[in-house]
Every structure is written in C-alpha cells, then in structure tokens.
Amino acid sequence: MGRICERSVKRVLVVLVALGCLCVPLALAGCTAASATAHETPTPNASNAAHAQSTPSLEPSPTAVAVAAFSCARGSLPVTSNSTQTSCAAQSANGVATVHATYTFTGAGSFVDENLLIAAGWMIAGLVNEDGGDFSGTWYLYFNQGSWIAWGPTQDGAMGVWASVPVKSAPIRCGTVFTGDTLPQVKVPLPHGTQTVAVFQISPFCLQDVASFYTTTLAAAGWASDGPFQVANASGTGVAIASATFTRNSVSVHLSLIGAAGTPTEIGIN
C-alpha cells in the first residue's frame, strides 16, 4: 500500500478531544492547521492539559485485551450500512491479519462509526486533510494496542479502509532496538517494517523507541538536534506527540512522532 500521490498543499491534524475538540498540528510537508470543525465526531474524553517534557515518556503499556480482527465479511469492518463494498482483500502473514477494502464514496466523515471504535477501545491517532490541484480528501487513523485502522478516499474516487490486527492481541512493549531503511522519497530513514498506508507512515514500535532510534541514527549520520524530543502527553483516548528538529549541511527536518502507551507510532517528516 503505497502513498497515493503528492499534493500542493497539506494540512495535518492530530485530534485530541475533551469537552469539545482540541486540535494539535502535526508536522508534515507544508502543514497548516485546519479547523476544529473538520472532525466533529466522536467526542472522547481526552485531557487537554498536555505538557512538554524533555524526553518521551508514556504510561506503562496497558494489559492485553483481545482486539477483534477485521475481515471481508459483511458487518466486520465498522462502515455505515449504506456503503457498498466494491473490493476487499484479507490475509494473515507473520502473525498479523490485514484487510484492504474499498467502498462506494460516502464521505470520509460519515463513513466509519467512530463511536463504535472508541467503545471497543480504539484511540484517535490522526486526522489528515490534504488539498491539491488534482486530488484531495480527509483521512483518519485509529490505534488499539498493536492494531491500527485507517480510512479515506482513494485516487480512483472510492473510499478505502486499511486495517492491521495482530492475531495475538497485545500492546507494543518499549525497549526494542531496531534498524532503519533509507527510502528515496524521504529525507531520513524509516524504522524497518514501517508501512506507508494512504497518507500515514506507521511504525510497529513504541514511540519512545522510535524517538531513541532517530536520536541515535541521525546523530551518527551527522545530523545535529536542536534538543531532545519534546513530548505533549495526553490521557484518556488521546495520543502523545513527540517532536524534534535535526539539521545537517543547512538542511533541516522536523519529526513528529504520534502514539500512545502500547500502540504503534505514526511518523511525520517535514
């Protein structure tokens, strides 16, 4: 599942909701803050009292709870009943069940029952608005322990759903050391195993470990950091955001790492 295409203007939000909607900008190329009304539902009780720290620090990983795997069967994916499935592929490999389905276009904001996801333990991880001359749309991302689900428009005008659920449900534990892959379309390496899903780059590692990976790897490659990753923590159904800027040969990159205790990490590179 590759990145769909490049757009001329990009706007990225991480939505943290508390008695309304608190939107925190996520750093990707050309980002500008979008209106909080872009994502009116659901309304989980995430804390808006975020605070900055010098090093990534998350709550201990939660106790493992079974997460139902999605399939191509009718009613398995949490889409609205008036959506007509046009294609679906499901497979299990390396202990992970994945699904990619497409549906007739109904509008991203009303396509998936987000309240149902939250009731099942899923957390809002990202909302991305991208506007371009030939293609635009809104994409959503949710995490639940080691699982993720994303949805949004496809380039051919359909609605797409991408989901990944480990066969053995468990939170992602911190303390893993891993290597990275250098890709031609990004300025810095991505952790090995990172998937590009629609507009998201999802790494199967704890946020703290991804931050450590970049601190070590970029320093070894001659990048100078403007300081340790700064973390805005959120409670409830929110996610944490760790950010830092690195510079080499007068070129700067800003990293935003998005995740919660026990979840994968979404990586934004500007």
Side-chain angles (χ1 to χ4, degrees), residues 14-71:
V14 174
V15 180
L16 305 178
V17 186
L19 303 178
C21 185
L22 170 65
C23 295
V24 181
L26 211 172
L28 284 179
C31 294
T32 57
S35 169
T37 60
H39 190 201
E40 297 178 355
T41 59
T43 56
N45 295 319
S47 171
N48 62 0
H51 62 279
Q53 300 185 165
S54 60
T55 57
S57 177
L58 301 175
E59 296 297 323
S61 296
T63 303
V65 177
V67 178
F70 299 113
S71 70

Side-chain angles (χ1 to χ4, degrees), residues 153-212:
T154 64
Q155 193 170 11
D156 58 3
M159 284 298 296
V161 180
W162 302 262
S164 174
V165 178
V167 174
K168 183 179 180 181
S169 298
I172 291 177
R173 303 292 178 178
C174 293
T176 302
V177 178
F178 45 85
T179 60
D181 298 319
T182 301
L183 304 178
Q185 66 269 31
V186 296
K187 299 176 183 178
V188 299
L190 292 173
H192 181 70
T194 297
Q195 293 178 278
T196 299
V197 182
V199 296
F200 302 107
Q201 294 178 139
I202 305 171
S203 174
F205 301 107
C206 163
L207 183 149
Q208 292 159 291
D209 292 341
V210 176
S212 296

Side-chain angles (χ1 to χ4, degrees), residues 115-126:
N115 289 316
L116 181 64
L117 285 177
I118 290 173
W122 292 80
M123 295 178 291
I124 301 171

